[in-house]
Structure formats: structure tokens, C-alpha cells
Amino acid sequence: MGSILSKLREAKVKSLAGTVETGTGRAALNEFVRSGVKFVSSHPKIENVYYRAVHDLMNCIVPSASGGPMLIEGAMFIGNWLESTGTISTELLSRFCPEAAQATFELFADFQREDGLIPYKLLTSGPSFRQIQMVTPLARSVWNHYCLHRDKKFLEKMYYAISRNDEWLEKYRNTRKTGCVEAFCTFDTGNDASPRFWHVPDVPYMADPTRYDPDSPILPFLAPDLTANVYCQRKYLGLMAEELRRDDISWEEKARQSLESLMRYCYDETDHYFYDRDRHNRFVRIHSDNLIRVLACEVGDDAMFDDALRRYLLNTRKYFCRYPITTIAMDEPGFSQSFEFNSWAGQVSFLTQIRLPHAFEYHHRYVELTWILHPIITALSRFNKFPGSLSAWLGHEGYAENYTPTMLCVLDYLERMSGIFPAPNGELWFTALIPRGVDHGETVAEKTGYSRIVDGACFEFVNDGENSSVYKNGELLYWFSPGVRLVTDRAGVLRGLIGMSPRRIEGAIGCQNGAVLFAVSGNERLEYTGSELISVENHGVIPPNYGVYDTITL
């Protein structure tokens, strides 16, 4: 263990990442260094991919139209898209480069249109407003950034902007008076080339986001992902309002209305699925990524999410491919194995990969999430570029390169699986899993080391496969058995433990005052009382399914 710890302490991020070309990128790399984040491995392959991701990510932080830093999508997308770069990607960046992330978030408020519409895209030359293009809720990403960094002026600025955008959506995207948010074109949801939007124009009528093609036989769609987005945003606008001590709008009531409309018009109780509804009031029965998008917006209780796992997300005929998960179900007639162009018709998208962890963790499905993290990390360890997608069957690199979400996927997945994750609720997660590799007997890692500075204290975390150790400011704080997630507060005070393996694990947490024994099952959460660990939650583990959902066997 000493060697991997020494390697971690001796690692120099700037040397490992290499030269960054832009001034904004160099400033962001300095932020990354100040975060104290380092990753090392006993195998050079995944470590090299990690620092190449850091280098390329910094080069994707460029001067915005207003002069400050802005994260761009990368590849052929030289701008910042609200559906991705401006929300989930910037939310992930916030854990490593908070100043660059906050500046990126604020651009959507700075360039908001007078009528309240937030740009769907920001180029280095300025904003664009042609469509709405929403997926990850901006309000949730902003709130999670605020929880980590606590800037109330920023929160107030973004609260005002997102509130005004909510008014715009209610005015212009509710033409059928259902309370759902309507899709006027394919690009409103960013589902390029998806069978979900066959025979639908890519952009709104006359490039006007308030209009849909009057000659379309099927538009507008009542869109479940857009409606779920607004539902979730209203939940988090409520949290913002409470934090800012504002009570002028009942966001709880508005969120309730959005949820009721979503369930009434877009949820099919027979299929247990969320579908678009066309102008003739018919479901658009395509098993697209609508499901995971809606669930990632915190729609439904644990029972609904568990049901979705059994029927769809962990089903090898649906989405649970070798490198999960696909952008439409594999048994859809429109599913395509081609991954050489920008398409949401089957390939595994790295945008989906960075959006989906929230859904699993929100419903405490930590073990099931690792079944996605592990094969994706294995595939990433082989990559020579950072493509926008990969092959569901072979894990081969897909279209494009230098794609920001893929770089962030490397950083995010390794931190969730083997690193130190600062959660918005004030917890630190030290996860004792190693991405050993799942393909052809290849080794990805045998030992890992990770560090992060939290509130001025330097935490270090070492996994050697047999033991895991946490250090604070150079002093050994805890040592414990692998296969679990140690949970502390931001000062490193023990709060509990989560089982991260489908098998029951028995072991001990050691500290300077002695040892605490534990026995924990998969997804079980133990709470530390000060003298012992007691079980406070145990959802069990849902195994993968291989075909038609069987309520008797599952």
C-alpha cells in the first residue's frame, strides 16, 4: 500500500496533464490543482487516460463572448448547449474547477432574452435561441453547485433567470393547455436521428421557438422529458426560494401540477413507460431514452424506479447491453448498431452516461449503478480519443473526438467508483471498489489512489484490493474492508457505510480509537451511532433480467 500512497503524494497534476494551450484553460488547470484532485493506478493505462482527459478538458474551457471562461461541448460542437454542456457537464466540472463552472452557468442568465427565454446554445460569438433543447434541469445543476460552494449572489441571479424562463415555457410551450411542455421539433430534446422523432422537423417553424410547423400531421408532441425537466426545476426553484427567503411563488404547487400532467398524459400504465403524445392524442410508442431522462428528473418513487430497472434498464433485450445503456431499446425495429455518426438511434451516448448516475443514486441503487460504471470505465481505458459514443456490442469508439462529456465521464466515474466524491448533501463518499476490467482478461487497475482537498483539509484514499485507507492531512484516519462505501461529513467524521457489492460483506472500520465491526448487504446503509453501525435502510439488489418482464420470478 505504501507504494501507491507514495505515488499519489508524488504525483504532479500539471506535469501529468501536460501543456494547456489557452489562457482560460491554464487558469482552469490551476483550479483543478487547487482542488487537490489526483488519481493514480498500479496500471498506467487508465491513469494515462485520466490525465489526457484532464488536459483535453482544460483545452475545452475557452473565452466566452463576454470574455470569461466557458466550457464547450467539444468535437464538432464549438459552443455550450443548455441540454448538456450548460447543465450536467458544468455540474460535474463544478467539483474540479468551480470558478470556471460558475462563470459558465452565469452566461445563461447574462444572455437571457428580454421575454425570459434562456439561450439553448452559447457560442463564443454570442447566444442562440432557435429551439429550447432541454434535458438535465438547469435549476438542479445550479443548486448542486451552490451546495458545494455557497455563493448566495450567484444563487439569486440564477433563481431569477430560471424563474423567468419557466414563465416563458408556460406561455409558449403549452398550446394544448395540458400543463405538459411541448416539443416542436427534434432538436428541442437533442435527440438527433432518433426514431422518436421520425417525420418531425429538426428545428421549429421559421426558426422561431414559439412556433411549430402548422402543416405537420403530428406536432406538437406532449414531451415527457421536457415536462419532467420543468417538474424537477420547479422542485429545485422551491429549494432556492427557501434558501433566499422568497415566498412570492408556490413552486411546490407548480411542481405538483407538472407532475400530474406528466402522469396523466405521458405515462402508459400498461407498458409502465413514458411516451410522447402526438396531436391526435396517440402515444408515440418508441422505447427511447425518454425513460431514463424522466427518471433522472426525480419522477416517481423507489417502487417505480425498481420496476423500470426490472422491465427495461437492466433488461438485456432492452437497454442493458454489454456497455450499458443504449439510447433506444435494442428490440426496437428502429435500433441501429451504427455508431459512426451523431445519432440517438441505438449507440451508447456519453451524454446519457453522465446523466444517469443521479437517477440510480437518488433511488439508492448504488450496486446496480456499478454494473454500468465498470464496463464503461473498461472501455474508456482503451480509448485513444474521447468520442461522443461507443458501440453497445464491442465498446469501440464512436463518432467524433475531443468530446467534453466523455472526458468528464472519465473523471466522474472513477471518482464515484474509486475516489472521494463530495455530495451536495455535505457527505464525502470514499468508495472501495477497483475497476479491474471486464474484457478479455485485460487488467485496468489492481490498486488505485485518489486525493481531494475539502474545506482546506487534504484527504487521501488508497485501495489495494484487500484493504482501503483514508488519510487526512497526512495522518491515517480510517482503514476498512473493500466492497463498501465509507460515508463521512466534510470534516471526515464517520457517518456510516453503504454496501457496494451484491454479496454480503463482513469486516471492520479501524480508526485511532479502535475498530467497529460491520456486516452489510448490497445497497444496505448502515448509520454510525458513535459506538456501532446499525442498519437504517436495505433495499436489496435487483439482478439483471433477460427478456419479458416476469412478475412471478422477479
Side-chain angles (χ1 to χ4, degrees), residues 227-400:
T227 306
N229 179 296
V230 167
Y231 160 70
C232 191
Q233 292 217 114
R234 288 174 167 179
K235 282 179 59 177
Y236 282 86
L237 283 167
L239 293 176
M240 293 181 191
E242 183 178 359
E243 182 75 3
L244 296 169
R245 299 183 179 178
R246 301 186 59 161
D247 58 3
D248 52 325
I249 299 175
S250 176
W251 290 112
E252 183 178 354
E253 175 60 21
K254 282 182 168 290
R256 185 190 63 77
Q257 291 170 359
S258 290
L259 183 60
E260 285 183 356
S261 296
L262 172 68
M263 299 306 295
R264 178 181 177 184
Y265 292 102
C266 298
Y267 185 65
D268 182 5
E269 293 185 353
T270 302
D271 290 354
H272 295 230
Y273 213 89
F274 292 93
Y275 297 112
D276 299 289
R277 195 182 282 271
D278 73 5
R279 70 184 298 171
H280 304 288
N281 217 30
R282 302 172 303 180
F283 281 135
V284 182
R285 292 188 181 278
I286 302 293
H287 285 166
S288 70
D289 66 330
N290 245 331
L291 178 64
I292 190 61
R293 290 179 174 204
V294 170
L295 295 172
C297 286
E298 303 177 9
V299 170
D301 58 13
D302 290 347
M304 174 179 278
F305 188 74
D306 292 354
D307 183 70
L309 290 181
R310 293 184 175 103
R311 291 178 184 271
Y312 298 106
L313 298 178
L314 296 182
N315 189 328
T316 59
R317 288 193 186 184
K318 294 292 184 180
Y319 294 94
F320 199 52
C321 57
R322 187 178 182 189
Y323 299 90
I325 65 173
T326 55
T327 46
I328 69 167
M330 290 176 280
D331 60 357
E332 277 288 343
F335 177 85
S336 171
Q337 292 191 40
S338 175
F339 55 95
E340 298 173 349
F341 60 96
N342 182 23
S343 164
W344 289 75
Q347 59 189 234
V348 176
S349 165
F350 279 103
L351 260 179
T352 299
Q353 297 311 120
I354 61 175
R355 288 169 179 155
L356 63 83
H358 182 78
F360 281 74
E361 289 170 351
Y362 182 78
H363 294 286
H364 315 290
R365 288 292 166 193
Y366 308 106
V367 173
E368 292 83 351
L369 177 60
T370 66
W371 302 339
I372 294 173
L373 303 186
H374 202 166
I376 295 297
I377 291 174
T378 302
L380 286 167
S381 72
R382 299 192 296 265
F383 282 9
N384 295 311
K385 58 181 183 177
F386 295 105
S389 66
L390 57 79
S391 161
W393 294 172
L394 302 173
H396 291 174
E397 294 167 300
Y399 80 95

Side-chain angles (χ1 to χ4, degrees), residues 48-61:
N48 291 340
V49 169
Y50 184 90
Y51 286 104
R52 194 163 69 246
V54 173
H55 171 270
D56 291 359
L57 179 64
M58 299 304 111
N59 276 331
C60 285
I61 298 172

Side-chain angles (χ1 to χ4, degrees), residues 418-477:
S418 305
I420 305 168
F421 181 93
N425 65 358
E427 293 179 342
L428 295 181
W429 297 348
F430 300 83
T431 308
L433 298 176
I434 294 178
R436 297 184 185 277
V438 295
D439 296 345
H440 315 298
E442 294 181 8
T443 299
V444 173
E446 294 165 329
K447 302 177 182 180
T448 62
Y450 200 92
S451 68
R452 173 178 278 282
I453 293 173
V454 181
D455 299 335
C458 178
F459 289 91
E460 297 164 318
F461 181 43
V462 173
N463 287 317
D464 76 352
E466 296 183 2
N467 295 285
S468 299
S469 301
V470 177
Y471 298 80
K472 181 179 180 182
N473 294 330
E475 298 294 324
L476 183 60
L477 190 62

